[in-house]
Amino acid sequence: MEEIRVTTQHDYALARSPEAPERRLRRKILLLAVVPLVVACLAIALSILRQGKTLAREEAAAVGPVLNAMKEAELRHYIELARAAIAPIYDGGRNDEAAKDAVKAVLARLEFGEDGYFFVYDMQGNNLMHPRQPELVGRNLWELRDASGVPTIQRLLAKAREGGGYVPYLWERPSTHRTEQKLGYVLALERWGWMLGTGIYLDDVAQTLERMQQESARQIDANLTIVAGIALVAALLVAAGGLALNISEHRLAENELRQLAGKVVSSQEEERARLARELHDGVTQMLVSVKFFIESAFNHLTAGSERVAAAAPLLERGVGRLNETLGEVRRISHALRPAILDDLGLLAALDHLGREFSGRTGLAVSVVHRGSGGEWSPAVATTLFRITQEALCNVECHAGAASVRIVTEQNAHELSLSLIDDGHGFATDTPGASDGIGLHNMRERAVALRGALTIASGPQGTEIRVAVPLFAPPHGTKENHDDPA
């Protein structure tokens, strides 16, 4: 037997509920799409930030020594130029004051840059020449110390006595009058007991390193902006995809709703037409017949005493036909809503339905109940009863069966009802095979209780099975005692 599953995972009322499973599933799918994207972008941003800072530190660590080495080479070059400029005088062997003044004059004229100059001290710390700070000339600066207490001139003289070299120290910058870091180079003019020195302020080194750090920070910010832009575009694409999916599903749901509304209207009209035919062809004709018998009897009774006896058979036949009419009305009433379903419950109503169907169609009908049995909500009883009515109607109209078996079974989790016939079945793979009004109504009734409807059909017959969870309340449905089969 081929099997087709015609259950759906939601009904229309549930689909529009704020807590619909499909809506929660879509929200989870969006979260699963967006959260990894956000996490990945954050991880990339943190990695860029960490690597950028690391590269900036490594670059500063690599460039700083190079800049310092360049400054040292520049200082050595300047001091060598100054030594060469005074060589004709100093190396001539003269020690008189005129020679010394000439050397001071030559050194005072030598400048480089905005704050590049040469200075001369004797070995006792007396300033002999300072072109940018003449107020220091003649003063003894042996005890001069910087803000941290380090003796400045003493360190310079010590380095000169050692043969010369580089000395970092703090000194007031002539152009700004601010104390800044300075790298000096000194050497001794031993024959005269002098110290010749010069220096370069290191603010440009610090500015260069600061510019490098700013450029690194700008590059990091630019990369983070790019990552943020990519993340925003990706999030917008995900959101647009989700919106398109929601719109598409919304349109599909509206289309299905319109189709369902049309089928419901058609089903109602067909049911009204069937009831009208039954009333017209059955009850109305019977009542006309009763009216005819009563009128005939009335005519006999009013015609004279000799015809009174002829009225009795007519009244008797009228009463019989009236009883038949009452039976027909009762049959139609049972078809609409059997009282036994409310009085004795689902199982008794199924037994009664089977006997009635068998008596009317001549098919052998057996009703089997398995499990503990019990009481169910009116919505469950009505739904299973209506599905059975619809299935029996399909068997009568289409199956060509000789027997039908109705089986109910209950376990700890669900209540199931199966209707099995031995008819010729139908091809479930045919387009539209499961789209008929009857099957559609059965499907919607099952889904309203969060149930599942399964159809298996083949040459040996058809089985329709509906399973309803025992503890799942129906959604979007109300029991309708006037609902036609």
Side-chain angles (χ1 to χ4, degrees):
M1 296 176 72
E2 300 181 16
E3 182 171 322
I4 177 172
R5 188 169 183 86
V6 293
T7 185
T8 59
Q9 295 300 316
H10 68 282
D11 62 302
Y12 294 104
L14 183 59
R16 285 158 175 77
S17 169
E19 294 301 321
E22 290 77 14
R23 190 167 297 177
R24 293 197 299 270
L25 179 60
R26 286 197 297 270
R27 189 158 56 242
K28 291 179 180 178
I29 291 175
L30 287 177
L31 287 176
L32 288 175
V34 172
V35 171
L37 173 64
V38 173
V39 171
C41 291
L42 288 176
I44 293 173
L46 291 175
S47 177
I48 290 175
L49 184 61
R50 185 175 63 253
Q51 291 183 2
K53 290 183 177 180
T54 302
L55 289 175
R57 287 195 301 269
E58 292 177 351
E59 186 177 19
V63 172
V66 174
L67 293 176
N68 289 331
M70 292 174 61
K71 292 293 183 181
E72 291 176 355
E74 184 179 359
L75 273 178
R76 190 178 187 88
H77 174 70
Y78 289 149
I79 204 71
E80 288 176 351
L81 288 177
R83 181 67 177 81
I86 65 173
I89 302 172
Y90 179 77
D91 293 340
R94 296 173 55 187
N95 294 320
D96 57 280
E97 292 300 323
K100 293 179 179 180
D101 290 338
V103 168
K104 292 177 186 179
V106 171
L107 293 175
R109 291 193 299 269
L110 296 178
E111 295 182 350
F112 54 91
E114 183 180 4
D115 292 300
Y117 57 88
F118 294 89
F119 54 85
V120 177
Y121 286 82
D122 64 18
M123 291 302 175
Q124 288 74 41
N126 295 303
N127 187 284
L128 302 180
M129 187 275 296
H130 201 299
R132 298 297 177 88
Q133 292 175 297
E135 68 275 9
L136 298 180
V137 177
R139 294 177 54 186
N140 187 286
L141 302 178
W142 179 265
E143 296 296 334
L144 180 66
R145 298 175 183 270
D146 60 21
S148 60
V150 176
T152 303
I153 303 303
Q154 293 179 31
R155 292 177 63 229
L156 292 173
L157 292 172
K159 180 60 68 174
R161 293 190 186 98
E162 293 175 0
Y166 303 99
V167 180
Y169 61 98
L170 294 174
W171 195 262
E172 180 181 306
R173 189 174 190 138
S175 61
T176 62
H177 302 288
R178 292 198 305 265
T179 301
E180 298 179 10
Q181 185 71 31
K182 189 175 185 179
L183 178 64
Y185 190 93
V186 294
L187 55 82
L189 299 178
E190 296 178 355
R191 187 161 54 83
W192 289 354
W194 285 7
M195 175 188 71
L196 171 62
T198 188
I200 296 178
Y201 290 94
L202 300 179
D203 60 323
D204 55 342
V205 175
Q207 291 173 358
T208 300
L209 294 177
E210 184 178 359
R211 284 195 300 270
M212 292 173 57
Q213 291 178 351
Q214 291 176 350
E215 179 64 21
S216 298
R218 191 188 66 79
Q219 290 292 338
I220 292 173
D221 292 340
N223 292 333
L224 291 179
T225 302
I226 293 174
V227 172
I230 294 174
L232 179 60
V233 171
L236 291 176
L237 290 176
V238 172
L243 180 61
L245 177 63
N246 287 338
I247 293 175
S248 176
E249 290 187 353
H250 182 69
R251 289 177 178 174
L252 290 175
E254 286 186 346
N255 186 42
E256 291 179 0
L257 185 59
R258 285 194 295 269
Q259 293 178 359
L260 175 61
K263 290 181 179 180
V264 169
V265 172
S266 300
S267 177
Q268 290 176 343
E269 292 300 324
E270 289 179 3
E271 186 62 23
R272 290 190 180 99
R274 184 183 68 81
L275 290 175
R277 287 194 302 271
E278 290 190 0
L279 292 174
H280 179 271
D281 298 340
V283 176
T284 302
Q285 292 183 8
M286 289 180 178
L287 289 176
V288 170
S289 177
V290 170
K291 179 177 177 293
F292 172 75
F293 286 126
I294 292 176
E295 287 177 347
S296 297
F298 179 77
N299 291 333
H300 284 298
L301 290 174
T302 58
S305 58
E306 67 278 1
R307 299 183 63 182
V308 171
L314 294 174
L315 290 174
E316 183 178 357
R317 293 179 64 184
V319 171
R321 185 54 60 90
L322 186 58
N323 287 331
E324 293 177 3
T325 303
L326 291 175
E328 181 67 12
V329 171
R330 189 178 296 109
R331 184 188 67 80
I332 296 175
S333 175
H334 277 293
L336 292 175
R337 176 75 185 185
I340 192 173
L341 183 60
D342 296 321
D343 297 337
L344 300 180
L346 174 63
L347 301 183
L350 291 177
D351 288 332
H352 175 77
L353 180 62
R355 288 193 301 270
E356 185 184 67
F357 182 80
S358 179
R360 179 167 54 84
T361 63
L363 275 67
V365 179
S366 61
V367 182
V368 180
H369 308 301
R370 298 172 182 166
S372 59
E375 297 182 357
W376 305 283
S377 68
V380 172
T382 301
T383 296
L384 294 183
F385 183 81
R386 294 303 184 197
I387 290 176
T388 305
Q389 277 186 315
E390 193 74 55
L392 288 175
C393 180
N394 288 342
V395 170
E396 181 181 3
C397 297
H398 308 294
S403 64
V404 180
R405 192 156 54 97
I406 302 172
V407 180
T408 63
E409 187 171 0
Q410 178 183 344
N411 57 33
H413 304 290
E414 68 179 13
L415 172 65
S416 65
L417 183 145
S418 300
L419 190 142
I420 306 142
D421 68 68
D422 58 357
H424 49 67
F426 62 95
T428 58
D429 56 352
T430 302
S434 62
D435 293 337
I437 292 291
L439 293 178
H440 191 85
N441 288 342
M442 287 189 283
R443 175 199 313 153
E444 293 302 320
R445 290 181 185 274
V447 167
L449 295 177
R450 292 188 180 179
L453 183 71
T454 303
I455 299 176
S457 185
Q460 292 77 29
T462 301
E463 177 181 356
I464 297 176
R465 182 179 185 275
V466 58
V468 178
L470 287 178
F471 306 106
H475 289 267
T477 61
K478 292 183 178 179
E479 183 188 3
N480 186 353
H481 286 199
D482 298 326
D483 180 27

